[in-house]
Amino acid sequence: MSRSLRDFSRIVVKIGSALLVEQGELKRSWLNALIADVVKLSDAGAEVLLVSSGSIALGRGILGLPGGPLKLEESQAAAAAGQIALAQAYADALGAHGKKAGQILLTLGDTEERRRYLNARATIGTLLKLGAVPIINENDSVATSEIRYGDNDRLAARVATMASADCLVLLSDIDGLYTAPPQQNPDAVFLPEVPRITHEIESMAGSAGSELSRGGMKTKIDAGKIATAAGTSMVITSGKELNPLQRLDQGARGTWFPALSSPASARKAWIGGHLEPRGEIRLDAGAVKAMTSGKSLLPAGVTSISGSFSRGDAVTLLNPEGRIIGRGLIAYDADEAQLIAGRNSREIEAIVGYPGRAEMIHRDDLVLELPALE
């Protein structure tokens, strides 16, 4: 597998609190160097998303909260104050290079519930299309311990799969995975690549490394399982020095976890085999022909709809003869789909009362059984 970030087209970079904030203050020189790396990758043709910790650590300093564990309401208040400063710092750093930032705050439900997942995925995709750099964090100001990730390693892996990224970079205070925690065991051996995450690999993970870090090697291995299964390669590398992404490309140490498939094929497999269809959509011959050439399903090509489904549910697709030709994730609830079936996409807003998506099923959310089309 490639170990150069320049060979990936969509990269998610996770930044830990300890790298970005020190004693309640933002490490601006480190952030500016990181953004310079991001801009270089962007100028070379890659799309980059940042999953950034730091709002609580920064807000702690802004609000003058003491060191040590915080109560839930103190953490939420710190996040509320810190998130403003953090977002502004990213916007300023990117703005110095003529780039735009777009902030997205997610909770566990946004990546686990299909309806909200599709909304978040669409927002990320639109920001990237418009040339902005998405800055993503868990919404710590409202999330409680019961409805949160609690670490940004697994959140970053979910974001990577949501965005169909082909690479996830976890910037850490350690330069990769060792056979044992190197701070405790001088005989620990560094692992440059992990072809597959086994029970033995999982047992090598230690605990959290600093007061600011809620994660640790365990959450990074958990992130690796999520990412690689969804077609995203992952690397754990040190972010302690300036320009960590450039350093990685120049051969700095890191542990690589190769993807087990491509993001597109992993997503298609998930849609095709792991979701229970909630309805059926019958198509005309023109729609079938358009989809076989790689296009999305538009409402105009739909002749009938059956079933009870919600936006984001899987539905079965039928050709004019009633034969199953595939399945996809529907962009409308069943009642709205009924109203716009057979109509031009330009009529959607007048029919449903809001400017909905032009596609009933986007091509990225579509899996065709090609033999059935012959």
Side-chain angles (χ1 to χ4, degrees):
M1 64 165 290
S2 171
R3 294 191 183 178
S4 171
L5 294 181
R6 287 165 292 186
D7 293 333
F8 294 100
S9 59
R10 184 171 287 182
I11 304 164
V12 173
V13 181
K14 181 264 177 178
I15 301 140
S17 293
L19 301 175
L20 191 58
V21 180
E22 190 169 43
Q23 296 181 337
E25 296 282 338
L26 191 70
K27 296 161 68 174
R28 290 191 180 273
S29 59
W30 186 91
L31 176 60
N32 290 336
L34 173 78
I35 294 302
D37 289 353
V38 169
V39 170
K40 275 186 182 177
L41 287 169
S42 178
D43 289 345
E47 295 173 321
V48 184
L49 303 83
L50 302 179
V51 175
S52 179
S53 304
S55 62
I56 294 177
L58 192 57
R60 185 196 286 263
I62 292 169
L63 298 178
L65 292 165
L70 297 176
K71 298 175 184 175
L72 175 62
E73 61 270 21
E74 290 175 330
S75 291
Q76 292 175 328
Q83 198 62 55
I84 296 173
L86 190 63
Q88 188 61 56
Y90 275 110
D92 290 345
L94 284 161
H97 296 272
K99 303 286 185 182
K100 304 292 185 184
Q103 184 188 51
I104 304 174
L105 297 178
L106 298 175
T107 61
L108 181 65
D110 295 319
T111 61
E112 299 300 312
E113 295 174 22
R114 277 203 299 280
R115 194 182 188 93
R116 288 157 67 183
Y117 173 99
L118 288 176
N119 281 332
R121 177 180 163 87
T123 302
I124 289 170
T126 303
L127 282 171
L128 292 171
K129 193 183 297 181
L130 294 172
V133 176
I135 312 296
I136 301 162
N137 193 6
E138 183 159 19
N139 196 350
D140 288 307
S141 61
V142 297
T144 63
S145 56
E146 291 80 20
I147 58 166
R148 68 176 310 171
Y149 279 94
D151 69 87
N152 272 357
D153 293 321
R154 285 175 294 190
L155 175 62
R158 288 293 187 201
V159 168
T161 64
M162 179 190 292
S164 297
D166 50 0
C167 185
L168 169 61
V169 182
L170 299 184
L171 295 180
S172 177
D173 50 9
I174 190 169
D175 55 8
L177 178 65
Y178 290 74
T179 53
Q183 305 92 331
Q184 301 163 19
N185 187 340
D187 297 323
V189 176
F190 174 76
L191 301 175
E193 183 170 318
V194 176
R196 188 175 290 270
I197 297 173
T198 62
H199 290 302
E200 183 184 10
I201 293 296
E202 291 184 74
S203 70
M204 296 175 186
S207 57
S210 73
E211 177 188 327
L212 296 179
S213 171
R214 287 192 297 251
M217 195 54 70
K218 181 185 183 306
T219 62
K220 290 171 176 55
I221 297 302
D222 289 343
K225 290 196 290 186
I226 294 167
T228 56
T232 303
S233 295
M234 188 182 87
V235 58
I236 302 170
T237 191
S238 173
K240 286 184 174 180
E241 303 294 332
L242 296 182
N243 303 102
L245 302 180
Q246 178 180 297
R247 287 169 54 82
L248 182 63
D249 254 359
Q250 293 173 344
R253 182 178 273 191
T255 299
W256 287 86
F257 299 76
L260 303 179
S261 61
S262 72
S265 63
R267 180 170 173 77
K268 299 284 188 181
W270 175 64
I271 294 170
H274 298 288
L275 297 176
E276 188 67 32
R278 302 290 183 186
E280 291 185 343
I281 311 289
R282 187 172 291 219
L283 315 174
D284 63 23
V288 173
K289 184 178 179 182
M291 288 191 303
T292 57
S293 65
K295 295 182 179 174
S296 300
L297 173 63
L298 302 180
V302 176
T303 58
S304 69
I305 289 172
S306 63
S308 178
F309 51 83
S310 299
R311 179 172 180 264
D313 282 342
V315 294
T316 300
L317 302 172
L318 309 177
N319 69 8
E321 292 74 43
R323 192 154 31 126
I324 294 175
I325 62 166
R327 63 169 61 180
L329 303 184
I330 193 83
Y332 289 91
D333 293 342
D335 56 347
E336 293 177 336
Q338 291 277 10
L339 291 173
I340 64 174
R343 307 295 287 268
N344 191 289
S345 295
R346 290 191 295 272
E347 301 177 80
I348 291 174
E349 184 172 3
I351 295 170
V352 300
Y354 65 92
R357 295 199 167 93
E359 308 89 358
M360 190 170 279
I361 300 178
H362 192 276
R363 63 185 180 185
D364 291 344
D365 298 327
L366 193 61
V367 180
L368 297 181
E369 299 174 7
L370 293 178
L373 301 177
E374 295 171 355

